Amino acid sequence: MTKILITGGTVISASGTTRADVLLEGETIAALGTPGFFATVAPTCERVLDATAKYVIPGGIDAHTHMEMPFGGTAASDTFESGTIAAAFGGTTSIIDFAIQRTGEDVRDGLAAWHAKAAGKCAVDYGFHQIIGGVDDAALEAMTYLADHEGVTSFKLFMAYPGVFYSDDGQILRAMQRGADLGATIMMHAENGPAIDVLVAQALGRGETAPKYHSLTRPVELEEEATHRAIMLAKVAKAPLYVVHMSAHEAVAAVARARDMGANVFGETCPQYLYLSLEEHLARSGFEGAGYVCSTPLRSRDEGHQDALWRALRTNDLSIVSTDHCPFCMKDQKELGRGDFSKIPNGIGSVEHRMDLLYQGVVTGEISLARWVEVACTTPARMFGLYPQKGVLAPGSDADVVIYDPRGTTDISAATHHMNMDYSAYEGVHVDGRVDTVVSRGRVVVENSTFTGAPGHGKFLARGLSQYLL
Ligand code: URP
Ligand code: ZN
Ligand code: ZN
């Protein structure tokens, strides 16, 4: 069995930091020991990785990605192969992507289609949530089957996108009741879609076609209202609720109030909502802002949303940072919406940069080292039934390890990133840290800025139930 020893590093966990060496045997972590503890074992190891002056952390878990997702007449530009290689470069060793069922389609066919796309292609491990785009009796039965037999224990519903993924309140309540019966997690895209559609039609009627109107027609109130409504429906159904890609301060406040009342309500945000804004990015002149169209939309920095989200991460009102990686190229894809913002495919790609961008929040004092690991690695594992296989450096856990160099630097650019995108939403952003070495289930997959893994190394993760539920 291949043995790898990681020496001299500072191990960061969700509960703090400690100097320790880490011994990997085959695909799992064998033991952690005080520095030098494994000196006699070292000569028997195939590799000894020197982590002196570096951090040793669990592999990142990105719990929200969309590889090859069809959207608006095109499809997200990363395949499972290109997207998971990019993830590996960024220190993410597990992704959870979204299989899709649309109205009228069979849920199990949707899941099978996503298995077919991913099988044999992924460079790191992967699991699936299931989007339920048509809640009916058959879909509810399928939820039970997926949770009981397929390792798919979380289901995303949409209060937005009428005619595509949208569920009305009655459908949402029924799916939540089923989620409650199963102990499964209901994930919610919380924006009031029918109201947004009215505002979009009115804006286009006034000739307001530029990308910034994407945000101006999705006002904070419609994220806040939908989030509150989802929380109330979950309360009635006695179901846990996980609100995805939150960008509005007021919506996060609704989650915080529910949590203060003891509800199983959790919030997720993404790097784009922490770093990017309506004024500086989406409202750029010409068509450049199209690269920043995503939903929920980027919010105004003048209104203080970004600061509020960092604060909520510190106070655990927000629990997880995922990317909502849904990349589209400007050429031929974002360009579909030239002259009509509503036709710009929604999504930003950043699966490669999540760990770095969040680490920059450590450098600037927004979050602690332990919180970095907690929101990017440990909580995603616990929330989505992967803990302690993933998300922690402990004996018996998968040997997913990142050596992170706090003295290194990362300059983000489309010229150097590995995602299949012809632009970067973070072009020119400098991070005071660098992913040094990445190990996925005992295999070194990134070293010296080179991919040393292989498509097909990544295995499907059949997940258990959340460990956050009452
Ligand atoms: O803009 C986004 N978020 N695109 C991906 C689909 C979704 O709603 O998560
Ligand atoms: Zn969504
Ligand atoms: Zn998404």
Side-chain angles (χ1 to χ4, degrees):
M1 200 181 290
T2 307
K3 278 194 273 195
I4 299 177
L5 182 62
I6 303 172
T7 62
T10 300
V11 171
I12 317 291
S13 76
S15 53
T17 67
T18 180
R19 295 283 311 283
D21 295 348
V22 186
L23 181 64
L24 315 180
E25 275 183 8
E27 297 199 347
T28 56
I29 296 171
L32 280 76
T34 50
F37 184 81
F38 301 113
T40 55
V41 181
T44 70
C45 293
E46 277 71 12
R47 299 286 311 271
V48 177
L49 303 174
D50 182 6
T52 303
K54 294 173 184 155
Y55 298 135
V56 181
I57 64 172
I61 300 176
D62 191 339
H64 189 153
T65 69
H66 301 281
M67 307 301 173
E68 308 180 35
M69 176 188 175
F71 193 104
T74 184
S77 56
D78 264 320
T79 61
F80 277 91
E81 179 172 329
S82 65
T84 54
I85 290 173
F89 270 107
T92 286
T93 53
S94 303
I95 63 164
I96 311 180
D97 206 88
F98 288 81
I100 296 180
Q101 177 238 3
R102 286 195 186 73
T103 316
E105 292 174 358
D106 189 292
V107 173
R108 292 192 217 181
D109 290 347
L111 179 60
W114 254 255
H115 272 298
K117 290 186 210 214
K121 304 280 177 21
C122 293
V124 299
D125 291 349
Y126 63 100
F128 294 130
H129 313 285
Q130 179 71 47
I131 287 174
I132 304 289
V135 178
D136 56 17
D137 290 344
L140 295 174
E141 281 314 303
M143 285 175 67
T144 301
Y145 186 83
L146 264 56
D148 288 349
H149 301 288
E150 297 284 348
V152 175
T153 53
S154 40
F155 301 91
K156 183 177 176 188
L157 303 172
F158 286 77
M159 302 168 103
Y161 304 124
V164 188
F165 296 127
Y166 174 79
S167 293
D168 66 29
D169 290 352
Q171 290 175 309
I172 289 170
L173 185 64
R174 291 187 78 201
M176 285 178 164
Q177 287 169 334
R178 182 58 60 111
D181 288 347
L182 296 170
T185 304
I186 297 296
M187 309 171 78
M188 189 61 73
H189 182 129
E191 290 186 293
N192 186 325
I196 287 168
D197 279 5
V198 170
L199 295 180
V200 168
Q202 290 171 345
L204 292 174
R206 289 191 295 270
E208 296 167 350
T209 60
K212 70 177 179 184
Y213 292 104
H214 175 74
S215 183
L216 298 177
T217 55
R218 307 178 92 90
V220 163
E221 289 79 0
L222 297 185
E223 184 183 342
E224 179 186 5
E225 181 275 329
T227 302
H228 176 70
R229 184 157 36 99
I231 291 168
M232 292 298 110
L233 291 168
K235 187 176 178 187
V236 170
K238 298 184 175 57
L241 175 69
Y242 178 92
V243 185
V244 296
H245 50 51
M246 301 193 73
S247 64
H249 168 33
E250 293 82 349
V252 175
V255 166
R257 279 194 302 276
R259 290 174 64 74
D260 288 348
M261 300 293 285
N264 268 323
V265 174
F266 307 93
E268 168 198 86
T269 194
C270 312
Q272 54 268 36
Y273 305 123
L274 294 164
Y275 282 103
L276 309 178
S277 74
L278 166 63
E279 298 91 340
E280 298 152 296
H281 300 92
L282 191 56
R284 283 185 183 173
S285 61
F287 194 60
E288 200 187 336
Y292 300 93
V293 166
C294 59
S295 297
T296 61
L298 300 188
R299 300 294 182 192
S300 160
R301 196 178 294 282
D302 293 343
E303 292 173 7
H305 296 283
Q306 295 76 6
D307 286 347
L309 296 182
W310 280 116
R311 192 165 58 243
L313 270 184
R314 285 194 291 280
T315 58
N316 206 30
D317 291 328
L318 287 170
S319 305
I320 287 180
V321 179
S322 309
T323 56
D324 193 8
H325 177 77
C326 192
F328 297 99
C329 291
M330 291 296 282
K331 186 171 172 343
D332 296 338
Q333 296 199 295
K334 292 285 186 182
E335 275 174 0
L336 292 169
R338 213 179 259 285
D340 179 350
F341 69 89
S342 72
K343 294 196 165 51
I344 299 170
N346 286 200
I348 291 180
S350 66
V351 74
E352 188 169 347
H353 303 312
R354 184 183 63 119
M355 299 299 290
D356 281 324
L357 288 168
L358 268 179
Y359 180 72
Q360 188 62 20
V362 176
V363 173
T364 56
E366 298 286 1
I367 54 172
S368 67
L369 274 172
R371 188 69 180 148
W372 173 47
V373 167
E374 188 167 30
V375 300
C377 315
T378 311
T379 303
R382 298 187 71 187
M383 187 74 68
F384 293 111
L386 290 171
Y387 189 90
Q389 180 188 355
K390 305 284 189 190
V392 62
L393 298 180
S397 295
D398 282 359
D400 293 350
V401 189
V402 175
I403 301 176
Y404 197 83
D405 184 358
R407 294 178 305 178
T409 58
T410 305
D411 290 296
I412 300 177
S413 171
T416 50
H417 73 199
H418 302 87
M419 301 176 291
N420 185 27
M421 291 172 73
D422 60 3
Y423 78 103
S424 171
Y426 299 94
E427 188 69 40
V429 168
H430 173 87
V431 175
D432 297 302
R434 192 178 70 88
V435 173
D436 178 286
T437 305
V438 181
V439 182
S440 163
R441 264 187 300 100
R443 175 173 180 159
V444 176
V445 293
V446 173
E447 194 174 22
N448 300 322
S449 305
T450 304
F451 178 63
T452 55
H457 165 77
K459 283 189 184 159
F460 174 68
L461 297 166
R463 296 178 295 110
L465 298 177
S466 173
Q467 287 149 356
Y468 272 101
L469 310 183
L470 289 175

